[in-house]
Amino acid sequence: MPEKTPVIIGCDHAACDMKEKVKEYLEEQGITVEDAGTSGEESVDYPDFGIKVASAVSNGTFKRGILLCGTGLGMSMVANRFSNVRAALCSDIFSVAMSRQHNDSNLLVLGGRVIGETLAMELVKVWLETEFEGGRHQSRLDKFNGLGETV
Ligand code: RB5
């Protein structure tokens, strides 16, 4: 059963097309999507959009976020500076499933210049459908969850 939790999504100019596809996919699943930008091909700075999405997840406005840039690296660096954000840059199905089962990832990062759209959609699907296992994994998360910037 896909999770229906609203998702905030953001990208830079390197991954706008992929962001639109992901948005379309989420909306088809009945998931409400908040688009934090950017839109279009004009060159922008990825931290501006990464901060918008990561801060909304950090302060609990959204439980889930998705960020995309060319490689996904810049966005994941930005996002993981925020308290309570567990951003996972994924490009394979095993890692994205584990990012939920063991790390309770609440922010998925995709590299629009690294992976294709079909794989991106599959990663989003698995990320939404896979449950956190809790238990020993929760106590590990408790050791670092509060670290980072609070917003
Ligand atoms: C933009 O050219 C590119 O640097 C950005 O999308 C991202 O890959 C940064 O990590």
Side-chain angles (χ1 to χ4, degrees):
M1 172 71 75
E3 193 173 324
K4 302 289 184 200
T5 303
V7 172
I8 183 165
I9 191 166
C11 67
D12 74 356
H13 55 281
C16 266
D17 289 352
M18 187 174 281
K19 183 196 71 176
E20 292 304 322
K21 295 281 180 198
V22 171
K23 251 175 78 177
E24 206 176 287
Y25 173 77
L26 293 172
E27 285 166 353
E28 278 168 15
Q29 307 310 306
I31 293 170
T32 304
V33 184
E34 171 81 11
D35 188 344
T38 186
S39 299
E41 288 170 14
E42 188 188 335
S43 183
V44 294
D45 297 332
Y46 62 83
D48 295 336
F49 299 90
I51 288 168
K52 283 187 192 176
V53 170
S55 60
V57 173
S58 179
N59 67 26
T61 305
F62 284 84
K63 284 188 181 157
R64 295 287 192 103
I66 299 178
L67 280 168
L68 307 92
C69 64
T71 58
L73 290 167
M75 287 298 199
S76 59
M77 289 176 190
V78 170
N80 277 317
R81 296 184 69 93
F82 286 82
S83 186
N84 306 314
V85 169
R86 295 175 301 281
L89 169 58
C90 295
S91 55
D92 70 273
I93 298 298
F94 176 71
S95 296
V96 83
M98 294 304 285
S99 86
R100 290 288 312 128
Q101 288 173 19
H102 286 195
N103 311 112
D104 197 18
S105 63
N106 53 10
L107 202 153
L108 174 63
V109 188
L110 301 172
R113 291 174 176 164
V114 179
I115 59 171
E117 277 172 8
T118 307
L119 177 56
M121 295 322 127
E122 199 56 36
L123 291 167
V124 170
K125 182 175 188 290
V126 171
W127 184 68
L128 290 170
E129 291 178 350
T130 307
E131 297 292 336
F132 177 49
E133 288 176 0
R136 70 185 189 281
H137 303 297
Q138 182 60 60
S139 45
R140 290 166 184 166
L141 299 186
D142 292 342
K143 294 194 171 187
F144 70 91
N145 248 346
L147 302 178
E149 291 178 41
T150 42
V151 285

